[in-house]
Amino acid sequence: METEADEDKRGGNYQEAIVKYSQLLQSTSKSKEEALRWLCARGECYLELSEWKKALEDGKNALDAARRSEDGTEADEGTNQRVVGACVLCGMACSQLEMFLEALDYFKDGLKKDPKNKQISGELKKLQNIIMKEQKEHAESQDCTYSAVSLCSQSIYPGDEQLINMEKEILAVKYKILDDEFYKGNNNHITKDAQLETQLVQAAYECLTMENLNDSLILISKAVAMDPSNVFYRTFRAQVYFNLKQWHKVIQDYWIIPKSMRKPDVWKQGGKALMELWLPVLAEFWFRKATQLTGGKDEEAAILFQKVRVKRLYDPLTEDQPVRVDFTQFGRAVFAKRDIAKGQTVMTDIPMVMAQSLGSRHIPACCNCAVSLITPKDYFGNKLLSMGKDQLDLIEEFWPSVAFEDCPHCHREKYCSKLCRIEAWDNYHRIICPSLNPAASQIYDICENKGYGYTSDGQWTEVWGGHYSPMILIKIWSIILSQVRDLMEKESVSAPTVEHWAKARAPFRRFIAYGTIPAIKRMPHMLPIFQSVFADCGSGLKYNINEEEFNGRYYQAACNLQCFSPSITPYHRFLDNIKEDIRAVGMLKYLSDRPPEAQFAAMCPLHACSNHSCFNNAEVCDLDIDGRPGIQMIARRDIKEGEEVFITYIDTAMPKLLRKAWLYKSFNFWCSCQRCQFEGEQPNECTNCHKKAPEGKNFSACGKCKKAWYCGVACQKDAWKKGHKVVCLTDHSQVTSPEGYDQL
């Protein structure tokens, strides 16, 4: 039948071929290698019939079959080629489904197996053309709809009401600044002399322009004494105090001005003074008023608000780290507090929420802390059958004991210890444990089936199409609900308050979200599933998962997640345990493979503040932090004090135009990093002066990096001096592009 199916496929009878391949796949006697072959063939038929989702499903299943067929042994050449074919199949299907990032990942996986594969090179070119065509209009205008300030809320944080009263008390006690009534008094007895006041103000202004601040202060103070309620005089003197950096005096003068008479500039400058006194909640209040009164048009006030908020949120997290977090026009950013040498740790970070990737769920790991739980069977596979007694004894003696602690209620989650099980229960699992919340079983089933599940009308399809596990979103909502429940119990109330919800959601407000295509459009079947999970969570609790909430949380995760794996596994501990045992010599031939890695995605508060550069000076690595997997950033080169720390969001081995298009599509900004400034786009255009080459001709490329083209020696030297030297010598010596990219 396989021969007939192959003939139908070659003859273009794709529907008939699909029927035959399906019959073959239903056979119980098929080998794993045959399943791989038939799945790829059927998937290619689906591609020809434009049934993209079915083609993608077959490609994914083929890759799963390939993984199972290897089972700890090295794959043969035929299997490798079919894996490449499955990668191409998945990539082509994803391209047609407009899942461009997924398509790129599949093509890259194929290139790892076969770097010279011409079909993948061709598909990468097509993918590049799709992306570039879609973004051409934006590329020409260099327009960007992304606004960091607009994505950041100025809403009041839970508990700020109490903090602002405390800061007012500091003003009253320390600086003798009280409420307005203290200053008003009865000024009827003061004799007015309009002419003298005018002369004093003019003289004060002249002194101010000549930077004779003390004289200006004396003169304007006399005018204030003559008319204490004059708003202009108070504002003038506050400006002089501001220039003298007498911050509390600035506030003292502004405080007397009735709120209804304070102009936006008064609120903004008062906020700056409060910022210098480090009364952050009051400073936020003043900057918020300045922003509101200008209808959001005063970008400086809006940025200053975020600077205060970022400092008070992140300074406690970076107290013992060599970096600080600040807010710039591009959003939150990480800066070095001191010089950081190449190879040193820039920062460490612990996940706030994490979940194992759908593709690595077969590799055992703790659901709560991500600790690897691999056993000798997981690592060695069939190699155990060929080992001698010494090697088996060595494994028995020195492979670390792996403890599995299941949830005793649902048995759907696995933990490394009782401590992690209890921690997970208190943190999130009590909300979604299927024993208490049967609807949550759907989510666990979808994860186990790699995103596939039944729709409300009973259709089996890919219901989850995100880059990460849906468990990330489930955990976010569950963590919030758990916090709300704790607050309710603490206050002995039967229903949650608005403040309870605000406090529980507050930690996740650190993460900015941005997306151009609503998540509901890509995954319409997920919303009703999420809604059913959180419709009744016990204790009268429920979470209203509407379209806005779904879209917001989806992109909050998509924009901030970092992939990581446990850096220390039982395999690594085993190697350390046997290093002084003579029997380890006979074990060496069985230790050639890397241990299977449980991939996790996590939202980490500090990491989420790091911006992108194609010329990144830091890179993210896995790290064991106090016995738990986490992440760290390592300096790729020396980082000076005050310099911003950059990581990369994408594969920077791609050509410049493709990099910029991917960044715009995924993150809605056009990269203007140092590398993008001095790397060329096309060989027929001078990278420095943008002169076009004659028809059919190209300019000479940089002899070192081959990534910039110049119309002559003068332009080459000019670009070298401006900054190409730094990028060329520092970065391109470290970047190796896959052959498929080089051909683009």
Side-chain angles (χ1 to χ4, degrees):
M1 185 180 292
E2 181 178 9
T3 302
E4 294 176 6
D6 290 343
E7 289 177 356
D8 284 337
K9 180 171 175 282
R10 285 193 295 270
N13 301 317
Y14 301 116
Q15 218 44 279
E16 292 85 347
I18 287 172
V19 171
K20 292 182 175 66
Y21 286 129
S22 297
Q23 291 174 353
L24 289 167
L25 286 165
Q26 290 170 3
S27 169
T28 57
S29 60
K30 65 180 179 295
S31 67
K32 293 176 182 177
E33 197 278 333
E34 286 174 328
L36 169 61
R37 187 168 67 245
W38 296 335
L39 282 167
C40 286
R42 188 175 69 174
E44 290 167 359
C45 292
Y46 281 131
L47 272 184
E48 295 293 341
L49 295 173
S50 301
E51 296 189 43
W52 317 121
K53 286 189 175 181
K54 290 182 178 179
L56 178 58
E57 183 176 354
D58 274 353
K60 287 182 175 180
N61 289 333
L63 291 174
D64 284 343
R67 174 182 55 77
R68 291 194 300 272
S69 68
E70 292 178 14
D71 196 22
T73 60
E74 186 175 350
D76 59 31
E77 183 62 27
T79 299
N80 275 333
Q81 286 305 311
R82 289 187 181 89
V83 168
V84 172
C87 288
V88 173
L89 175 62
C90 289
M92 293 173 69
C94 285
S95 293
Q96 294 296 333
L97 292 167
E98 297 187 358
M99 298 164 58
F100 300 127
L101 287 174
E102 293 92 332
L104 181 62
D105 287 338
Y106 282 120
F107 290 142
K108 284 162 57 180
D109 288 342
L111 282 177
K112 290 176 184 176
K113 291 280 187 181
D114 185 3
K116 297 183 179 181
N117 188 286
K118 293 183 178 179
Q119 185 180 9
I120 297 180
S121 298
E123 292 300 328
L124 276 171
K125 288 180 181 178
K126 292 179 184 177
L127 181 61
Q128 179 191 23
N129 291 335
I130 292 172
I131 297 298
M132 293 308 301
K133 181 180 179 181
E134 186 175 310
Q135 308 302 335
K136 184 177 180 182
E137 180 180 340
H138 302 291
E140 290 174 349
S141 64
Q142 293 289 291
D143 183 32
C144 178
T145 58
Y146 174 89
S147 170
V149 172
S150 66
L151 294 176
C152 298
S153 169
Q154 288 194 354
S155 56
I156 297 171
Y157 256 61
D160 279 0
E161 296 86 351
Q162 292 82 5
L163 290 175
I164 204 167
N165 289 330
M166 183 182 70
E167 291 182 4
K168 284 183 178 180
E169 187 176 344
I170 292 173
L171 286 176
V173 175
K174 186 175 181 179
Y175 301 112
K176 309 303 179 187
I177 300 172
L178 305 177
D179 286 335
D180 298 356
E181 296 300 322
F182 176 83
Y183 293 97
K184 289 179 180 177
N186 186 354
N187 301 319
N188 294 332
H189 66 281
I190 298 177
T191 303
K192 300 287 185 177
D193 187 339
Q195 184 176 0
L196 178 57
E197 289 176 25
T198 302
Q199 291 173 352
L200 288 170
V201 173
Q202 288 177 343
Y205 179 76
E206 290 175 4
C207 289
L208 179 63
T209 57
M210 296 174 64
E211 297 187 2
N212 295 327
L213 298 180
N214 290 323
D215 290 343
S216 181
L217 179 61
I218 292 171
L219 292 166
I220 193 60
S221 294
K222 290 180 179 179
V224 171
M226 297 178 71
D227 188 359
S229 62
N230 188 295
V231 173
F232 176 75
Y233 297 171
R234 290 282 181 181
T235 304
F236 192 122
R237 189 168 70 172
Q239 179 63 59
V240 178
Y241 279 133
F242 190 90
N243 291 358
L244 288 166
K245 299 183 179 181
Q246 296 184 25
W247 313 118
H248 69 286
K249 293 288 189 180
V250 175
I251 300 303
Q252 199 167 51
D253 269 334
Y254 281 154
W255 205 268
I256 195 173
I257 300 174
K259 293 184 177 67
S260 60
M261 298 178 68
R262 296 176 193 168
K263 295 185 177 180
D265 285 345
V266 168
W267 287 107
K268 181 166 68 174
Q269 193 170 66
K272 291 178 181 179
L274 289 164
M275 191 175 178
E276 293 293 340
L277 293 171
W278 195 238
L279 298 171
V281 186
L282 275 171
E284 284 186 10
F285 180 86
W286 284 56
F287 288 136
R288 185 187 294 112
K289 292 293 291 185
T291 306
Q292 291 171 347
L293 290 173
T294 61
K297 294 180 180 179
D298 190 337
E299 187 176 19
E300 183 189 15
I303 288 178
L304 287 170
F305 177 96
Q306 296 301 333
K307 280 182 173 289
V308 175
R309 175 152 288 184
V310 163
K311 182 174 174 60
R312 73 171 173 128
L313 286 179
Y314 289 96
D315 273 10
L317 300 182
T318 59
E319 184 177 1
D320 299 323
Q321 309 235 36
V323 294
R324 61 179 174 84
V325 179
D326 200 351
F327 193 91
T328 70
Q329 61 177 322
F330 302 112
R332 294 166 191 158
V334 178
F335 294 88
K337 290 194 290 192
R338 57 171 174 77
D339 290 350
I340 304 173
K342 178 181 178 180
Q344 287 187 345
T345 298
V346 175
M347 71 162 72
T348 60
D349 211 356
I350 298 175
M352 272 183 58
V353 60
M354 63 182 173
Q356 192 167 356
S357 68
L358 301 186
S360 73
R361 281 181 61 85
H362 62 286
I363 302 170
C366 178
C367 291
N368 183 61
C369 73
V371 161
S372 174
L373 300 175
I374 61 171
T375 64
K377 175 62 177 174
D378 296 315
Y379 176 72
F380 293 107
N382 290 336
K383 292 180 181 178
L384 289 170
L385 302 176
S386 60
M387 287 185 185
K389 184 177 183 303
D390 282 349
Q391 286 75 47
L392 293 174
D393 288 344
L394 203 63
I395 294 171
E396 179 70 23
E397 292 176 37
F398 293 110
W399 192 276
S401 175
V402 177
F404 292 93
E405 184 87 15
D406 281 354
C407 170
H409 308 291
C410 68
H411 304 287
R412 301 298 295 264
E413 292 212 347
K414 190 185 303 293
Y415 309 104
C416 64
S417 64
K418 181 179 179 180
L419 177 64
C420 262
R421 176 173 61 80
I422 294 172
E423 188 178 289
W425 181 264
D426 292 340
N427 197 30
Y428 70 89
H429 190 57
R430 58 178 165 164
I431 302 295
I432 55 169
C433 181
S435 67
L436 302 176
N437 186 347
S441 292
Q442 300 173 84
I443 297 298
Y444 286 97
D445 291 342
I446 289 170
C447 290
E448 288 175 7
N449 291 303
K450 297 181 175 59
Y452 283 81
Y454 288 103
T455 62
S456 56
D457 58 0
Q459 181 184 1
W460 178 263
T461 186
E462 186 178 34
V463 294
W464 174 261
H467 297 300
Y468 53 88
S469 169
M471 195 59 71
I472 289 285
L473 303 187
I474 291 293
K475 284 188 176 182
I476 290 175
W477 289 317
S478 299
I479 289 169
I480 292 171
L481 281 165
S482 288
Q483 290 296 311
V484 169
R485 179 181 290 182
D486 287 344
L487 291 168
M488 290 169 57
E489 292 175 356
K490 183 178 180 180
E491 298 178 15
S492 300
V493 295
S494 59
T497 66
V498 172
E499 186 176 0
H500 291 159
W501 285 108
K503 285 183 177 180
R505 291 183 176 118
F508 292 100
R509 287 168 61 178
R510 289 191 175 103
F511 301 97
I512 294 176
Y514 181 82
T516 54
I517 301 175
I520 188 72
K521 183 178 179 181
R522 294 185 60 187
M523 295 169 280
H525 303 295
M526 285 304 300
L527 181 58
I529 294 174
F530 286 145
Q531 289 172 333
S532 67
V533 172
F534 294 102
D536 182 7
C537 300
S539 302
L541 276 177
K542 66 176 183 178
Y543 203 124
N544 181 27
I545 313 294
N546 54 27
E547 287 191 22
E548 183 181 4
E549 176 72 15
F550 175 29
N551 290 330
R553 296 296 180 191
Y554 176 83
Y555 281 109
Q556 192 175 51
C559 293
N560 294 286
L561 284 173
Q562 171 63 42
C563 293
F564 74 98
S565 298
S567 59
I568 300 176
T569 69
Y571 162 83
H572 295 98
R573 292 192 171 92
F574 175 69
L575 290 185
D576 191 57
N577 292 340
I578 67 172
K579 61 185 179 183
E580 295 182 2
D581 194 299
I582 189 65
R583 292 172 293 176
V585 176
M587 179 64 75
L588 292 178
K589 64 179 180 179
Y590 300 104
L591 297 171
S592 57
D593 296 329
R594 294 182 60 183
E597 294 183 342
Q599 296 284 340
F600 281 78
M603 292 171 65
C604 304
L606 283 181
H607 162 270
C609 298
S610 305
N611 290 320
H612 165 86
S613 172
C614 304
F615 189 53
N616 54 304
N617 54 11
E619 57 189 355
V620 182
C621 306
D622 301 332
L623 178 68
D624 189 70
I625 304 173
D626 297 329
R628 291 191 171 191
I631 66 169
Q632 67 175 334
M633 285 187 196
I634 302 294
R636 296 182 71 232
R637 54 182 179 272
D638 292 347
I639 302 174
K640 299 295 184 183
E641 179 182 350
E643 184 180 349
E644 185 172 354
V645 176
F646 290 105
I647 58 174
T648 177
Y649 294 173
I650 60 168
D651 181 0
T652 55
M654 292 187 285
K656 175 182 172 180
L657 279 175
L658 191 53
R659 288 200 315 269
K660 290 170 76 71
W662 276 117
L663 286 166
Y664 184 87
K665 181 168 184 62
S666 303
F667 302 98
N668 206 48
F669 72 89
W670 285 96
C671 186
S672 58
C673 69
Q674 193 171 4
R675 181 177 168 192
C676 286
Q677 289 178 45
F678 294 103
E679 188 174 290
E681 295 183 354
Q682 301 290 345
N684 63 347
E685 179 181 311
C686 179
T687 303
N688 188 56
C689 71
H690 305 293
K691 176 183 176 181
K692 295 288 186 179
E695 185 71 27
K697 301 289 184 180
N698 290 331
F699 290 127
S700 297
C702 170
K704 296 183 181 295
C705 67
K706 312 293 185 185
K707 301 290 185 182
W709 296 270
Y710 303 106
C711 60
V713 175
C715 270
Q716 184 176 14
K717 288 183 177 180
D718 186 43
W720 190 259
K721 291 177 181 177
K722 287 179 179 177
H724 181 63
K725 174 182 179 180
V726 176
V727 177
C728 185
L729 296 181
T730 304
D731 205 54
H732 287 294
S733 60
Q734 304 171 19
V735 175
T736 302
S737 301
E739 186 162 335
Y741 288 151
D742 290 337
Q743 297 176 34
L744 295 180

